Amino acid sequence: MKAKHQRLVLVLLALVAVLGASGLALSALKDQAAFFYAPGDVARDGLPLGKHVRLGGMVEKGSIARQADGVSIAFVVTDGVAKVPVRFRGVVPDLFKEDSGVVAEGQFQSDGSFVADNLLAKHDEKYMPPQVAGAMHETKSLEP
Amino acid sequence: MLHALANPTRFLKIARPLTPILLWLGVALFAVGAWGGLMRTPPDYLQGETVRIMYIHVPTAWLGMGGWSGIAISSIVFLVWRHPLASVAARAIAVPGAVFAALCLVTGSIWGRPTWGTWWQWDGRLTSMLLLFFVYLAYIALARADHDRGGDGRIPAIFGIAGTVLLPIIRYSVTWWNTLHQGQSIGLTGSTIDSAILWPLFWTLAGASLFFAGVVLMRMRALVAAQRVEARLRRLAV
Amino acid sequence: MTHWGFVAAAYGVTLTAAAVLALASWRAMVTAERAVEDLRR
């Protein structure tokens, strides 16, 4: 019995050590591990200029507009706290729609706007049939 | 119950009939879920038909992670109680767990291309899951090396416990950090998935779990048999 | 690839991998248990 208890204590100590070490590593990693900046982050902490970064949020309703050159598009990314205007030229993912999530890769401009070279669609954890989605289903997306 | 199973003969008496039941019942339940998920459920309002990949991707994710939990629990039981079947169980889970973790990454990638627009991104969820897969490979190599050198299984067991730290990281990655992967859709309090789309997932999850257990049982039986042969050969060599 | 193509690819990869895993595990089990029987004789 005694030996078993000794082993149990050793295992628990090892567990605590591992968890403690990873907890420390995690808190160090916290800020770097974010996949994208939200508009609110940038409004609060300042523009990460000169770096190739990601901007994520919702595509503001009514904001998608084709530009005069016929290829580029402009839209606004919002997180409910702040907004960032974005310009993009390239192929757009199927799920890129207004009132839907987006992650844009590119660079911030000094005027606070964002020029994207790649777009990813981000969807939330809600799944439902079209009938249930109702009005949500009818949001404007880019014409094919 | 643990001590009843400690005797390999007793374990085999239960494992032999149980193995085909788990495998075939698992396949049957999964088939019901796949039929429902491919033929009976509606498409998603946003992503359309690709949502049907969920019925495969979610079970592989849960089992990839659940498999490692099994390794961790077996490792603790082995280290503390020296249960003879515990290290066998951990080693038997390793390859199926790694396969399901890999399938999670592959099906996730296939799902990501038409929805997110990319095969892969280094976000918190995907990266930590990939890390778990690498840890599985490391464990497999470690367990094999330890066994070949005549080790008693203590080192792989410690590794099996240490690797557990990845599980809460994977689970909470979508909560702690901004990620491309969406947040939790299934929890203890409910689900954000409409019931019309959700129901086949219970079937594929149950089926895949039983199938996984059946495979682990087969691998345990193979390891136990190998142990008996080794023991017999050692006695004959004297 | 159409969306059904991606769905088919995901299901195909999974079912193939699961089948290979089960078959390989079953073969290993049968071989090992047969070896025990052979030693008995």
Side-chain angles (χ1 to χ4, degrees):
Chain A
M1 267 298 140
K2 196 94 193 292
K4 181 173 91 178
H5 284 157
Q6 274 178 354
R7 291 197 296 265
L8 180 57
V9 169
L10 275 171
V11 168
L12 286 174
L13 278 175
L15 262 169
V16 170
V18 167
L19 288 171
S22 20
L24 281 171
L26 259 178
S27 56
L29 208 55
K30 237 171 167 353
D31 294 317
Q32 270 89 309
F35 188 70
F36 55 80
Y37 289 95
D41 297 338
V42 161
R44 181 192 62 217
D45 301 332
L47 298 175
L49 290 172
K51 292 196 290 176
H52 192 263
V53 294
R54 294 190 200 94
L55 169 70
M58 300 291 280
V59 178
E60 190 179 47
K61 202 161 185 151
S63 70
I64 299 183
R66 266 214 192 280
Q67 297 299 88
D69 66 3
V71 193
S72 309
I73 59 164
F75 57 96
V76 174
V77 174
T78 174
D79 62 351
V81 173
K83 302 183 192 189
V84 174
V86 178
R87 285 195 311 283
F88 173 69
R89 184 199 166 106
V91 180
V92 141
D94 285 352
L95 265 52
F96 176 73
K97 293 179 174 135
E98 290 176 358
D99 241 4
S100 209
V102 68
V103 176
E105 300 179 324
Q107 302 217 12
F108 276 97
Q109 309 301 298
S110 39
D111 66 357
S113 71
F114 192 88
V115 172
D117 51 52
N118 191 29
L119 291 186
L120 301 173
K122 179 175 155 68
H123 63 85
D124 65 14
E125 59 276 8
K126 301 191 194 62
Y127 302 85
M128 64 194 94
Q131 307 92 291
V132 174
M136 247 194 286
H137 185 48
E138 298 307 314
T139 52
K140 184 181 140 199
S141 59
L142 278 183
E143 308 79 11
Chain B
M1 186 192 72
L2 271 180
H3 287 291
L5 292 173
N7 185 338
T9 315
R10 282 247 197 80
F11 163 73
L12 287 174
K13 261 184 90 174
I14 302 171
R16 284 216 180 94
L18 194 56
T19 309
I21 294 173
L22 288 172
L23 288 171
W24 293 115
L25 193 56
V27 168
L29 293 180
F30 182 87
V32 171
W35 161 81
L38 290 171
M39 313 269 207
R40 305 293 297 169
T41 55
D44 180 65
Y45 79 101
L46 184 63
Q47 58 179 275
E49 311 292 349
T50 51
V51 73
R52 304 176 190 285
I53 298 179
M54 178 203 311
Y55 308 113
I56 295 225
H57 177 73
V58 172
T60 56
W62 284 28
L63 286 170
M65 293 174 66
W68 192 268
S69 312
I71 291 179
I73 293 170
S74 305
S75 299
I76 291 175
V77 169
F78 173 72
L79 283 176
V80 176
W81 284 279
R82 292 256 170 258
H83 195 294
L85 278 177
S87 74
V88 166
R91 282 159 60 203
I93 295 173
V95 168
V99 169
F100 273 69
L103 281 174
C104 170
L105 293 165
V106 169
T107 56
S109 174
I110 295 174
W111 198 0
R113 184 70 187 97
T115 51
W116 297 328
T118 179
W119 296 103
W120 181 264
Q121 289 291 322
W122 293 100
D123 86 340
R125 169 58 64 86
L126 276 64
T127 306
S128 52
M129 193 65 192
L130 180 67
L131 230 57
L132 180 64
F133 174 68
F134 289 152
V135 166
Y136 263 117
L137 296 182
Y139 178 85
I140 291 170
L142 200 60
R144 202 159 290 176
D146 181 77
H147 175 81
D148 290 345
R149 278 184 296 113
D152 63 355
R154 239 182 300 189
I155 298 172
I158 294 174
F159 188 80
I161 296 173
T164 315
V165 68
L166 272 175
L167 297 183
I169 295 178
I170 296 172
R171 164 77 172 81
Y172 289 105
S173 56
V174 294
T175 311
W176 293 338
W177 305 309
N178 291 334
T179 56
L180 176 61
H181 193 290
Q182 66 282 5
Q184 287 301 123
S185 32
I186 302 177
L188 287 169
T189 46
S191 162
T192 56
I193 305 175
D194 187 275
S195 50
I197 292 181
L198 180 62
W199 72 265
L201 185 54
F202 295 122
W203 290 89
T204 55
L205 194 56
S209 303
L210 291 179
F211 173 83
F212 189 93
V215 170
V216 170
L217 226 51
M218 286 198 291
R219 302 185 77 87
M220 283 182 73
R221 284 169 60 178
L223 286 170
V224 165
Q227 277 180 346
R228 293 174 120 184
V229 169
E230 282 166 28
R232 175 65 67 94
L233 289 177
R234 255 183 272 124
R235 284 206 298 274
L236 289 175
V238 170
Chain C
M1 244 207 293
T2 66
H3 284 190
W4 276 108
F6 286 99
V7 173
Y11 279 73
V13 165
T14 305
L15 293 176
T16 306
V20 169
L21 174 66
L23 274 166
S25 306
W26 179 80
R27 283 253 309 263
M29 176 188 81
V30 165
T31 307
E33 292 190 333
R34 201 167 288 155
V36 174
E37 284 308 304
D38 288 347
L39 269 182
R40 283 251 176 82
R41 301 198 195 107

